[in-house]
Structure formats: structure tokens, C-alpha cells
Amino acid sequence: MIHQIQVNGKTRRVDVDDDTPLLWVLRDHLQLTGTKFGCGVAQCGACTVHIDGQPLRSCSMPVSAVGKRTITTIEGATSREAKAVQAAWIARDVPQCGYCQSGQIMSAVALLKEVKKPTDRDIDLAMNGNLCRCATYVRIRAAIHDAARALQG
């Protein structure tokens, strides 16, 4: 079936079954490979994208559920918050293996769009469910604080 979806500011048409997970539409059909497959059951956060600005797991969302909502992947994360998070990630040398980082960044960006001065608790709640097998959680939290300060001016 033909699905018309809004991805990173562009209308894209894909011919896939209704129950095809959005993750595979993004990766296999649109070649947007920054969004990663981790667990396939929405528990690790590696596949996090924004749908209408909210961080959601693309591995468990069928493409038919997207409708007219807008999707932003790590490739399309260009907002002021995204740039601040990406700069903080680099400055803090957050990634080790890097596999989970696109999902981590997408969750952090969504947090900073909602909460301008997040506390450690705000960060922990927002990042809950984004697993990092390298355990860079302390650097992730520090980078989010740095990005929040940079956004403040």
C-alpha cells in the first residue's frame, strides 16, 4: 500500500504493508540510517524519532499509525536545541560506541524544548528507557545541562 508521510520537512511516498514498522520504512526505504534498531520492542530507545515533536520509538509504530503527523529523524534534527545538544555531546565526548546516540540525542532535544532548565530528575525521567550499553549516563546528563546553559545565552 502507498503511504505518504512527512519526514524531515519533505513529503515521502513509500509502498509498504500497513504494519511495517516506521523504523524499517526510514532505514530500508528512505535510506535514513541514523535511526538505529536496538531491541525491536520499544525498550532501548535506539530507534527514537520525533513525531509531532514528541520522542517516540519507531520500531514499534506501524507506518499506518503515522498518518499526517510529522516525523523528524536525527538527520533532520536541526533546531536550536538539536544544535546545542549535538555541540554538548561533542564537547563532553559522550559517545563511546555511539550506537544509541541518535536516540539519546532525540530524547534530549525533546526535553530541552519542553524544559529550559532541567534538573537531574527531569533529565533522568526524560531519558528513562534510552539505554546506553557503554554506560555514558553521567556524560549524557552533563551534556544536557551544558546544552541547557548554552540555550540560556
Side-chain angles (χ1 to χ4, degrees):
M1 176 168 205
I2 302 291
H3 295 273
Q4 191 167 295
I5 57 176
Q6 297 292 322
V7 181
N8 298 334
K10 296 180 182 174
T11 300
R12 306 295 297 266
R13 291 172 51 94
V14 291
D15 187 4
V16 297
D17 292 335
D18 286 349
D19 62 350
T20 303
L22 177 59
L23 172 64
W24 300 119
V25 171
L26 296 170
R27 290 183 60 78
D28 293 347
H29 297 275
L30 300 180
Q31 305 304 306
L32 296 169
T33 57
T35 304
K36 304 298 184 200
F37 172 79
C39 67
V41 292
Q43 297 297 306
C44 74
C47 67
T48 302
V49 297
H50 291 178
I51 298 182
D52 284 345
Q54 297 301 308
L56 294 170
R57 308 300 196 245
S58 63
C59 73
S60 63
M61 173 174 272
V63 69
S64 60
V66 173
K68 295 184 185 293
R69 297 184 287 174
T70 60
I71 301 161
T72 305
T73 68
I74 191 71
E75 292 91 345
T78 58
S79 68
R80 190 170 166 259
E81 292 85 0
K83 289 176 183 175
V85 168
Q86 292 164 359
W89 244 243
I90 292 167
R92 287 280 180 175
D93 198 22
V94 171
Q96 283 186 3
C97 82
Y99 196 81
C100 69
Q101 295 309 304
S102 61
Q104 299 278 1
I105 289 169
M106 295 304 283
S107 291
V109 168
L111 168 64
L112 292 176
K113 285 185 177 206
E114 296 292 320
V115 181
K116 301 306 178 198
K117 292 183 180 182
T119 64
D120 284 348
R121 179 167 165 66
D122 293 330
I123 294 169
D124 292 346
L125 288 172
M127 303 304 288
N128 186 34
N130 283 86
L131 303 180
C132 175
R133 292 175 191 222
C134 301
T136 64
Y137 299 112
V138 172
R139 285 186 287 187
I140 288 168
R141 186 188 293 149
I144 293 170
H145 282 301
D146 290 351
R149 281 190 293 278
L151 289 165
Q152 296 295 311

